Amino acid sequence: MSDIIAAARGFHDELKHRAGEIEAARRLPHDLAKKFMDAGFFRLCVPTDYGGLEADPLTFADLATTLAEADGSAAWVAMICASTGVTASWIPPAGAREIFARPNAIVCGVFARRGKAHDEGDHYRVEGRWQWGSGSDISDWMTAGCVLYRDGKPVMGEGDVPLNGGIFAPTREIELQGNWDTSGLCGTGSQDFVMRDVRVPKSRAEIGNFKIHIERPLYFFPPFGLLACGIAAVMMGLARAAIRELTAIASVKVPEAHRRVLAQRSRTQEDVAEAEALLRSARAFYREMMEATWAETREKGRAALETRRDLRLAITHAARSSVRAVDLMYNLGGGTSVYKTSPLQRIFRDVHVASQH
């Protein structure tokens, strides 16, 4: 999968040049979305049965990091649409084929169980409102988490917990709210979306008795672990971008009341070194646990609880280390960091919004 990472790297100049445009539009422009689709980014985790690439989790993470080094919002959308591909294994093949088999179909959505799926025989009647609908503006289909209802009441499962799952609906049947007005990750289009009595065939749903229909390693990898891996991957890419940007500034900027450029100050060298150590050590732990979890999933069909615990620890550590590294670089940039002409201000805002996910 080295070709897909090289393709992501090939977008760097265009994404850096268009970062302001992406942010102002508060969405990924359609021409960039098409280029990402043509490059295979959105189909990275879709099963090969439906024409996807079915890549390994590390390739998925490397894609997100590589794109984020150029623009956080574009990377975030690619990460969300790519990770949504694993949901093709959660629903019956007929439904998955309808949604994912078309080569240019873009699928995104929200796993949070904020909706109600009313069981009406051969279909569900879905209602609800969901937040963080990243990529919704460019999507053809969206998935949404729901609680199962029957006769107006939630259906209870084991442990007195309501049965829940996810449904898929065409974006044209969904009301996008246009309310994504945030400090960072502005270009992700992560607006709220609403469904009002949307009819969803049961072939396009997974509710109650969760089953993996495609029994291959990628689809047994912890799904929320994969999503969290993608979030941390974007944040590590932003941290790398911040270090590079500050290094470039430091070679020419002479701070007020100083005679030497910023790069020659001991404080600068100490903070850049700390940021570098934070990022590289966090990335090493992150990759160690990604590789361990992937190896166990391939060999045993499921990662052990201890492995999944340590994967989450590595992800959390990578996220926090990335925020710390970006903060160090933003502070070193001084007044330069606050101007819209400096990528540091956007990186700072993006990484802090990502940390709130």
Side-chain angles (χ1 to χ4, degrees), residues 26-43:
R26 297 194 172 267
R27 57 178 286 177
L28 189 70
H30 279 289
D31 67 304
L32 270 176
K34 183 179 185 306
K35 290 177 183 179
F36 279 13
M37 171 58 77
D38 292 344
F41 299 165
F42 295 156
R43 299 185 67 76

Side-chain angles (χ1 to χ4, degrees), residues 332-351:
L332 278 176
T336 302
S337 299
V338 307
Y339 286 92
K340 288 290 182 73
T341 53
S342 171
L344 276 174
Q345 50 80 27
R346 183 170 54 252
I347 294 168
F348 177 86
R349 291 184 285 108
D350 285 353
V351 81

Side-chain angles (χ1 to χ4, degrees), residues 56-63 65 218 221-222 225-230 232-233 236 282-298 303 307 310-312 314-315 318:
D56 62 274
L58 274 168
T59 299
F60 162 73
D62 287 345
L63 171 70
T65 297
L218 179 61
F221 193 91
L226 186 70
L227 175 62
C229 286
M236 287 189 288
R283 185 174 182 273
F285 184 26
Y286 173 94
R287 293 187 72 85
E288 174 191 341
M289 290 317 305
M290 286 279 283
E291 290 169 357
T293 308
W294 180 231
E296 279 192 21
T297 304
R298 283 182 298 164
T307 304
D310 288 350
L311 174 65
R312 181 65 65 161
I315 291 166

Side-chain angles (χ1 to χ4, degrees), residues 164-217:
N164 59 75
I167 60 88
F168 289 83
T171 306
R172 66 176 180 273
E173 297 179 8
I174 298 169
E175 299 173 22
L176 304 181
Q177 300 302 293
N179 63 338
W180 185 243
D181 189 7
T182 56
S183 59
L185 291 177
C186 300
T188 62
S190 302
Q191 61 198 307
D192 293 8
F193 61 95
V194 173
M195 295 192 203
R196 304 182 197 274
D197 295 331
V198 174
R199 186 181 187 278
V200 176
K202 289 189 174 178
S203 62
R204 286 201 257 114
E206 163 277 307
I207 295 181
N209 299 316
F210 182 74
K211 177 184 177 182
I212 298 292
H213 292 269
I214 296 178
E215 297 185 350
R216 291 197 292 272

